Amino acid sequence: GGGGGGGAALVPMQHDDADWVREVLSCLSGIQKKSKGKGQLSSFVFHQCSEFVTLYVGHPKSAVHLVVTPSRLLRRQDVTAEQVNLVRRLACYAHHLSGCLQASFPHLRFASGVRLRPGRVQQFHAHLLSLDLVPPRPGDLERRHLEDFAQTSGAGAGVASRLLPLDVLADVLKREGAVPSAPPDTAPLRAKVLVCHRCGHLFGDAFAQLCQHLARCDAWPLPPGGGAARAQ
């Protein structure tokens, strides 16, 4: 879900268990070494610098949904305390892009971080997305994505984000030496009360109604501590 496998259908996979981000990075690297045109792969690239690449997600979960990743191949499981400085630089890169996106889309709010629930993508990456959670294709948003990306505040909100900010991840890596994962959730999804992460309106088990509401909700989640909602 999210960037975990969304672009897979758009990338010619070399084998069934390959992940789309590593496929794109490998192809980009090969193309650059041969000094040839990027062809169709250029449609995946939102932005690129010497160390990092930002890719469009094939099945976005919001109006704007991108993946930021190191240009070199680096599996999530191989990220340790040795990569703390790289993660901090990635945090600065994502923060810069978030500011640019905020200027381009002043009616949206943005968040970035590593999803605690591992997906099919093995390449270390972070998500940069708008917090509307209104995808271009409504069917691409599932209940689990609310837990992955929704930002809420206040007790009893019902949904807690599992998106770990990159600067916080750097501190965790320095202390624990590995990227954390969300503990297995044994509670069935239908046992959880659905809530709009933007205005706090409760929807019980009516996921379709929540999605319809998100498309017209004009509120934004408050940051921790209250105050006006602001972009990162």
Side-chain angles (χ1 to χ4, degrees):
L10 308 179
V11 182
M13 309 295 279
Q14 295 181 359
H15 46 83
D16 292 341
D17 60 350
D19 72 63
W20 71 274
V21 175
R22 291 176 67 86
E23 289 281 336
V24 171
L25 294 179
S26 297
C27 291
L28 286 176
S29 176
I31 289 172
Q32 290 167 353
K33 289 177 182 177
K34 295 177 182 178
S35 299
K36 294 182 180 179
K38 293 182 179 179
Q40 291 183 338
L41 285 174
S42 62
S43 64
F44 284 92
V45 180
F46 172 80
H47 184 269
Q48 188 172 12
C49 65
S50 60
E51 191 175 17
F52 305 115
V53 179
T54 302
L55 304 174
Y56 291 101
V57 171
H59 295 285
K61 312 308 177 190
S62 284
V64 179
H65 191 175
L66 305 167
V67 160
V68 295
T69 181
S71 302
R72 67 183 177 93
L73 297 182
L74 176 64
R75 297 180 188 276
R76 173 174 173 144
Q77 66 193 49
D78 296 328
V79 176
T80 67
E82 295 182 358
Q83 280 76 44
V84 166
N85 289 334
L86 179 144
V87 173
R88 293 196 190 282
R89 293 193 299 272
L90 183 60
C92 292
Y93 174 68
H95 181 77
H96 169 72
L97 289 181
S98 179
C100 295
L101 289 168
Q102 186 64 69
S104 298
F105 303 96
H107 61 291
L108 298 175
R109 298 292 181 269
F110 292 87
S112 61
V114 171
R115 191 182 64 184
L116 292 180
R117 177 177 63 86
R120 288 186 295 172
V121 171
Q122 299 179 44
Q123 171 72 9
F124 173 66
H125 66 284
H127 294 263
L128 171 57
L129 76 167
S130 54
L131 292 176
D132 52 286
L133 296 187
V134 181
R137 296 179 295 270
D140 286 342
L141 185 70
E142 301 175 18
R143 294 173 70 123
R144 58 196 171 112
H145 300 132
L146 294 176
E147 292 190 354
D148 289 337
F149 302 124
Q151 304 276 320
T152 61
S153 62
V159 179
S161 174
R162 295 188 175 185
L163 198 66
L164 186 67
L166 284 162
D167 53 352
V168 175
L169 172 61
D171 294 336
V172 173
L173 283 173
K174 187 175 182 179
R175 184 174 64 252
E176 301 179 8
V179 178
S181 296
D185 193 349
T186 57
L189 286 175
R190 292 191 175 277
K192 301 176 182 178
V193 175
L194 293 171
V195 59
C196 175
H197 64 290
R198 297 173 61 177
C199 68
H201 189 82
L202 298 176
F203 286 86
D205 189 44
F207 179 68
Q209 285 84 347
L210 170 58
C211 290
Q212 294 172 3
H213 166 83
L214 288 174
R216 61 179 183 270
C217 184
D218 58 2
W220 287 108
L222 294 176
R230 302 202 314 266
Q232 286 190 0

